[in-house]
């Protein structure tokens, strides 16, 4: 039985899988595919990479693009189908967020810089300010191996390479995204960086979002198809680009690719100002060494 592999952010993974599974059973039939939900596990190699090595790729991959950073161009060309060019809203096209030939973007996950409104009186306007010694120990991120932390490192490394060490030295890397939200909400830390959807989980309502002039980081979600199998899963891909799924993604504070779907209010108010360096830079910098050269007390 062909496998459909999901590797999506935690807050949508189960719901999106169930939506796709229900659609598939109604429109294609039961027992055609095995649905697998893979959560990010630091100690394990991904099923997608294992499948590539063992020549047992899933027929359809739905989720984060990071594993493609570990694949050669030859492996991608030989293992995945060329994708149809589907709609990409103008705000993403203007950011040069072009789709790659062998995968298709179906949503973009913005990251948020949050701050405690009771502790912060001067709101930074630029990423460069977070490299100042004034912010030592005041910026909280999840564990350094997790996507938000790796993407944030990539952003600073790409925009301000001479300030990367100073920025990292100011940060505390610990726990999960929700741990970051709680730490800022409780006043343990002044600033935090998380997936935008997690930023809404402030229990005490002490957090606010700031949007630097350069924009905020982001993470694309993609679909990719095993070589020669596009016809078998084309209905599923079209469903992921349907209004039903795209509206669901927008409700989670993601940027939907369909222009007819309203973007989250805070994204629209900030003109969808996201930082996107292009696929090659994004994958190569993201895949560089994770943050490790930090004093012991800074990774908890």
């Amino acid at each position: 039985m062909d496998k459909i592999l999901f590797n999506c952010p935690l807050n949508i993974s189960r719901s999106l899988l169930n939506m796709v599974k229900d659609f598939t059973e109604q429109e294609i039939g039961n027992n055609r595919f095995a649905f697998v939900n893979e959560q990010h596990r630091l100690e394990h190699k991904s099923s997608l990479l294992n499948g590539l090595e063992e020549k047992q790729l899933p027929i359809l991959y739905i989720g984060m693009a990071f594993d493609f950073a570990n694949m050669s161009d030859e492996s991608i060309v030989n293992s995945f189908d060329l994708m149809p060019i589907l709609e990409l809203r103008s705000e993403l096209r203007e950011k040069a967020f072009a789709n790659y030939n062998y995968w298709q973007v179906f949503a973009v996950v913005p990251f948020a810089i949050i701050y405690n409104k009771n502790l912060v009186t001067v709101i930074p306007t630029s990423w460069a300010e977070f490299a100042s010694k004034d912010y030592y120990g005041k910026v909280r991120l999840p564990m350094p191996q997790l996507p938000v932390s790796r993407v944030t490192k990539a952003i600073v490394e790409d925009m301000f390479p001479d300030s990367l060490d100073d920025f990292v030295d100011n940060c505390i890397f610990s726990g999960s995204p929700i741990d970051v939200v709680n730490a800022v909400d409780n006043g343990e830390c002044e600033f935090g960086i998380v997936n935008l959807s997690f930023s809404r989980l402030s229990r005490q309502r002490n957090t606010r979002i700031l949007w630097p002039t350069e924009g905020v980081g982001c993470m694309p979600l993609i679909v990719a198809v095993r070589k020669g199998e596009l016809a078998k899963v084309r209905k599923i891909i079209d469903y992921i680009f349907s209004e039903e799924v795209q509206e669901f993604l927008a409700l989670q504070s993601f940027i939907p690719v369909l222009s007819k779907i309203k973007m989250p209010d805070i994204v629209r108010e900030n003109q969808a100002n996201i930082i996107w360096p292009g696929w090659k830079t994004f994958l190569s910098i993201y895949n560089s060494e994770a943050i490790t050269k930090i004093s012991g007390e800074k990774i908890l």
Side-chain angles (χ1 to χ4, degrees):
M1 185 181 296
D2 286 319
K3 180 169 68 175
I4 296 178
L5 177 62
F6 289 76
N7 185 15
C8 295
L10 183 62
N11 58 312
I12 69 161
S13 57
R14 188 181 299 275
S15 296
L16 183 59
L17 185 151
N18 288 334
M19 291 174 71
V20 173
K21 184 177 181 181
D22 289 346
F23 170 83
T24 302
E25 291 176 350
Q26 293 172 13
E27 298 295 327
I28 301 177
N30 293 324
N31 303 319
R32 293 290 300 274
F33 304 102
F35 292 82
V36 178
N37 189 12
E38 178 176 80
Q39 294 305 310
H40 188 79
R41 297 172 298 170
L42 300 179
E43 70 277 13
H44 291 96
K45 192 172 184 179
S46 78
S47 296
L48 188 65
L49 293 177
N50 283 335
L52 181 66
E53 290 182 359
E54 299 167 5
K55 300 188 185 304
Q56 294 182 346
L57 280 171
I59 191 171
L60 178 63
Y61 175 78
I62 302 171
M64 295 177 276
F66 301 134
D67 284 337
F68 286 87
N70 295 300
M71 301 179 190
S72 67
D73 290 343
E74 182 180 7
S75 292
I76 293 173
V77 170
N78 292 335
S79 303
F80 295 92
D81 249 345
L82 280 169
M83 295 295 290
I85 303 301
L86 301 177
E87 183 177 347
L88 191 66
R89 68 185 313 129
S90 60
E91 292 91 345
L92 297 178
R93 291 199 308 271
E94 289 168 3
K95 286 290 181 181
F97 217 116
N99 284 303
Y100 188 75
N101 290 337
Y102 293 92
W103 57 74
Q104 179 81 27
V105 178
F106 68 88
V108 174
V109 183
F111 296 148
I113 302 179
I114 60 175
Y115 65 93
N116 186 300
K117 65 182 179 66
N118 302 315
L119 300 178
V120 177
T121 55
V122 179
I123 301 173
T125 60
S126 170
W127 280 90
E129 294 180 57
F130 287 105
S132 165
K133 292 181 180 179
D134 293 339
Y135 291 89
Y136 181 81
K138 295 182 178 180
V139 185
R140 176 81 176 264
L141 291 94
M143 290 183 291
Q145 302 93 336
L146 293 181
V148 171
S149 297
R150 296 190 71 120
V151 170
T152 299
K153 169 184 178 279
I155 288 171
V156 177
E157 186 175 7
D158 185 52
M159 292 194 302
F160 307 106
D162 294 337
S163 300
L164 177 63
D165 290 344
D166 293 330
F167 172 81
V168 169
D169 194 46
N170 287 345
C171 297
I172 297 172
F173 298 86
S174 176
S176 67
I178 192 59
D179 293 328
V180 173
V181 175
N182 289 337
V184 178
D185 196 31
N186 295 333
E188 299 169 31
C189 210
E190 294 186 11
F191 299 90
I193 303 178
V194 292
N195 178 323
L196 180 59
S197 57
F198 280 104
S199 70
R200 303 184 303 178
L201 301 179
S202 166
R203 293 181 180 178
Q204 302 179 62
R205 302 293 185 261
N206 289 327
T207 63
R208 297 291 184 270
I209 295 173
L210 70 89
W211 208 284
T213 55
E214 300 91 353
V216 296
C218 65
M219 175 178 66
L221 299 179
I222 65 164
V223 290
V225 179
R226 190 172 68 210
K227 191 79 171 181
E229 306 282 14
L230 180 59
K232 292 182 181 180
V233 295
R234 181 59 194 262
K235 283 187 176 181
I236 300 174
I237 293 172
D238 288 342
Y239 175 64
I240 292 171
F241 284 80
S242 70
E243 291 185 37
E244 179 181 357
V245 173
Q246 292 287 302
E247 286 177 352
F248 163 74
L249 295 168
L251 288 173
Q252 314 311 310
S253 299
F254 298 169
I255 301 177
V257 297
L258 289 187
S259 58
K260 65 179 68 174
I261 306 300
K262 181 182 176 182
M263 288 190 296
D265 289 342
I266 190 168
V267 177
R268 189 180 68 257
E269 291 164 4
N270 287 281
Q271 293 77 50
N273 187 14
I274 55 175
I275 299 170
W276 179 247
W279 282 112
K280 184 176 181 181
T281 300
F282 176 78
L283 291 175
S284 63
I285 295 180
Y286 175 87
N287 197 40
S288 64
E289 183 181 2
I291 302 165
T292 56
K293 296 179 180 178
I294 308 173
S295 57
E297 72 272 16
K298 300 298 285 299
I299 298 182
L300 306 178

